Amino acid sequence: MYANDTTKPVALLARAGAARERLREAIAAAGGHVVLEEDPNQLDGAALEAAAPQVVLVALEPAVEDALERLEPLLEAPHLTLMFEEAELAARREGWEAQRWIRHLAAKLQGHGNVLPPGQEDEAAEPAAALEPGLPERPADRHVDAPLQFHLDEAFVESVDVPADALYVPPVVPEERPQVLSFEELIATPAAESPVLPPPLPEPAGTEPAVQVPAAETTAPVMDFSKWSLVEEEGYQEVATTPEAPPPPALASLLNTSLSLVDIEEEGADGGAVLLFAGIGGPDAVRRVLAGLPEDFARPVLVQLRLDGGRYANLVKQMSRATSLPVSLAEPGVSLAGGNVYILPDATSLSSEGGLRFGDGQGDLLEALDPVRSAVMLLSGADVGLVEPVLAFAERGGWVAGQIGEGCYDPAAASQLAVAGKPAGDPEYLAAELATHCAG
């Protein structure tokens, strides 16, 4: 099965026995042609030259060592290819091991490198991949140079899409209990506004049940007690009532107008707000700052955190879980309301005309704010380029601070504020300081 035109004549030098027979069979199976088969101890040099072999296969064993030394000048001829095999090993080689040795012998006799079993020649034709030390090359579209914190931030934002626990059961809201009034309040309440009386208490065990009276016999008109009055004299005295005069037109217009101090405050007309700048490691820092703000925090809070892929809607949901303040996405044309948190997408600006409003396009957020009524924080990963304008903002009366210490992945920008003598610390400390500053 291995025969072709490149097969070379073979001289088999081995003593008679099992090893010699196995080697003869292997040469034949490999497509070889035996031109001489002889015991080395009995071989004549002239007979070897006369056979003109190109390959000499020798079965090695201690009994032929002297003969090989004698034939050494002939075996070292440059036109001969010498192959040696241990006689003992060749005698006991069987099965898969014998077939494997035959394939290697055929490759040497026929001058090729295919040692695979029949039917797998195509695999040998394909060059094997060169192995190189080191890690495999990562795809170019991934963040190959991004630190681990980048992936943690991305997972934090994307986790809002993870399905919630199906075993969660929302708490049951107790039903509103009916209002119970005192006797004095009851007699002062007109019949049309009479409250619902509480249900009767259950009767104690062991007492006889009360006689049920038909409803028709117990129904009586509801009396109006609002005109009765208790006086020191015996008997009752009816109190005369006069209709109230209608309020003046100016007062009536004010009473019919819904005015609220909260509405005025929510417009953010004073031009003040809180700006939080963050980057890598920033989602956790922003969450901790918002969690530390009180429920009655009156300033608008703006969060500028650059996200890969722009998943700002997910960031809104994540931050809503961390604070009791309303959190929403900033939209062009919307006025800032006090006590609200706004997530700023890319290309969001501020306008101070007619009160603070969001606008389209890039812009200097600090220019639109009133420094005396505003505050700025540089959290983990904030752009170092913000340091200079933030310090200039502080010189105009603004309150600025930066995150440093444990948990701050990238304090490069914030640490420069600390060097300049501005407040610095962890997010919880900054939130408490900010709440004190805005309350003053």
Side-chain angles (χ1 to χ4, degrees), residues 46-420:
L48 179 61
E49 293 179 350
Q54 295 184 15
V55 178
V56 178
L57 178 56
V58 180
L60 293 177
E61 54 181 324
V64 299
E65 291 180 358
D66 294 340
L68 294 179
E69 291 181 2
R70 176 174 56 84
L71 298 173
E72 183 176 356
L74 296 176
L75 297 177
E76 291 181 350
H79 65 280
L80 292 179
T81 300
L82 286 177
M83 298 176 61
F84 297 95
E85 179 66 19
E86 293 186 8
E88 182 180 357
L89 182 60
R92 66 169 185 264
R93 187 181 289 123
E94 295 180 353
W96 177 86
E97 188 177 359
Q99 294 297 323
R100 177 177 174 274
W101 189 83
I102 292 174
R103 291 195 299 272
H104 283 266
L105 178 61
K108 293 180 181 179
L109 294 179
Q110 300 175 15
H112 59 73
N114 181 19
V115 295
L116 296 176
Q120 301 186 21
E121 292 80 1
D122 294 339
E123 298 181 8
E126 300 179 0
L131 299 179
E132 298 180 358
L135 295 174
E137 183 179 359
R138 291 174 287 186
D141 58 346
R142 299 289 180 87
H143 309 285
V144 294
D145 297 325
L148 175 61
Q149 187 62 42
F150 178 90
H151 302 284
L152 296 178
D153 294 343
E154 188 177 35
F156 175 81
V157 175
E158 297 292 342
S159 63
V160 73
D161 293 331
V162 177
D165 189 354
L167 299 179
Y168 172 75
V169 178
V172 179
V173 180
E175 298 181 358
E176 184 177 358
R177 300 184 61 182
Q179 182 181 8
V180 180
L181 301 179
S182 64
F183 175 75
E184 290 79 5
E185 294 172 332
L186 180 61
I187 64 175
T189 303
E193 302 179 2
S194 297
V196 179
L197 296 178
L201 296 175
E203 298 182 0
T207 60
E208 297 182 358
V211 178
Q212 299 294 332
V213 181
E217 300 179 7
T218 59
T219 302
V222 180
M223 301 181 65
D224 187 357
F225 301 101
S226 61
K227 298 181 180 180
W228 287 19
S229 173
L230 297 178
V231 293
E232 295 180 358
E233 294 80 9
E234 295 181 358
Y236 298 97
Q237 178 180 353
E238 182 176 349
V239 178
T241 59
T242 57
E244 297 181 359
L251 180 59
S253 62
L254 290 176
L255 293 176
N256 294 329
T257 303
S258 57
L259 298 179
S260 173
L261 294 177
V262 177
D263 294 340
I264 298 176
E265 181 180 330
E266 287 182 350
E267 290 298 328
D270 60 2
V274 177
L275 264 175
L276 306 182
F277 293 102
I280 294 180
D284 180 66
V286 172
R287 177 186 62 81
R288 293 163 62 185
V289 170
L290 296 181
L293 296 180
E295 296 181 359
D296 58 350
F297 191 78
R299 298 288 178 188
V301 181
L302 314 183
V303 178
Q304 187 181 76
L305 173 61
R306 304 299 185 187
L307 291 179
D308 184 70
R311 303 299 295 273
Y312 293 103
N314 282 2
L315 187 60
V316 169
K317 297 177 183 178
Q318 288 287 5
M319 296 307 164
S320 298
R321 300 173 179 176
T323 177
S324 58
L325 302 177
V327 183
S328 60
L329 196 63
E331 298 181 0
V334 175
S335 299
L336 275 66
N340 282 254
V341 179
Y342 300 95
I343 305 299
L344 306 185
D346 297 334
T348 301
S349 60
L350 274 179
S351 173
S352 58
E353 297 181 3
L356 289 176
R357 295 179 181 272
F358 293 112
D360 286 324
Q362 297 288 351
D364 189 350
L365 301 176
L366 298 175
E367 287 295 330
L369 298 180
D370 179 3
V372 179
R373 298 179 177 273
S374 301
V376 178
M377 282 190 194
L378 298 185
L379 303 177
S380 176
D383 188 0
V384 179
L386 292 170
V387 174
E388 183 175 349
V390 167
L391 289 177
F393 181 81
E395 292 179 357
R396 300 196 301 269
W399 185 87
V400 301
Q403 177 193 0
I404 61 174
E406 186 177 0
C408 183
Y409 181 82
D410 181 11
S415 60
Q416 296 188 32
L417 297 184
V419 172

